[in-house]
Amino acid sequence: MSNRQARLSRAQIATITQDPQAIKFFEALQSGDLQDGGSVTVGVSPYTYLASQDGTLIVRGGTVSQISYVRNTGSFNIGVVAGPIPMLMADAVTITYTVLPTVTFLPS
């Protein structure tokens, strides 16, 4: 996947937030302008996403009751049900939901 395909566009970020400061944050996170890419196909709840590289998982919408973060053998409820979640390669995030959320992964 090219660098351009692995990035989010401004339009994709606008579906997550209309806040200009948040858009600047995501641009800085990606070290430049936002580009296309990153949709995650969410499976049956509880759904676990395993990071194949460092990046940020963005969860929004739906009806999420819990998000758990797993690193090595430790797992913990992160205390939020939406937003950006920084991840390292091989980390996992488990999302428990009743209405499907929108999930995007933004590689570093």
Side-chain angles (χ1 to χ4, degrees), residues 7-8 27 33 45 72 94 100:
R7 294 175 177 261
L8 295 175
E27 287 178 333
D33 291 337
S45 180
N72 301 320
T94 299
L100 188 71

Side-chain angles (χ1 to χ4, degrees), residues 20-106:
Q21 293 302 321
I23 292 172
K24 287 181 182 180
F25 166 78
F26 283 105
E27 287 178 333
L29 190 64
Q30 295 186 128
S31 300
D33 291 337
L34 300 170
Q35 305 296 325
D36 294 329
S39 265
V40 173
T41 302
V42 178
V44 177
S45 180
Y47 170 74
T48 300
Y49 179 83
L50 178 64
S52 60
Q53 59 186 314
D54 295 354
T56 302
L57 190 70
I58 303 166
V59 180
R60 70 172 185 86
T63 304
V64 176
S65 58
Q66 180 174 313
I67 299 177
S68 296
Y69 194 93
V70 180
R71 178 171 289 163
N72 301 320
T73 59
S75 174
F76 60 95
N77 178 346
I78 64 172
V80 299
V81 294
I85 305 161
M87 300 179 73
L88 297 176
M89 184 172 68
D91 286 349
V93 167
T94 299
I95 304 165
T96 304
Y97 66 89
T98 53
V99 176
L100 188 71
T102 300
V103 179
T104 305
F105 185 75
L106 176 63

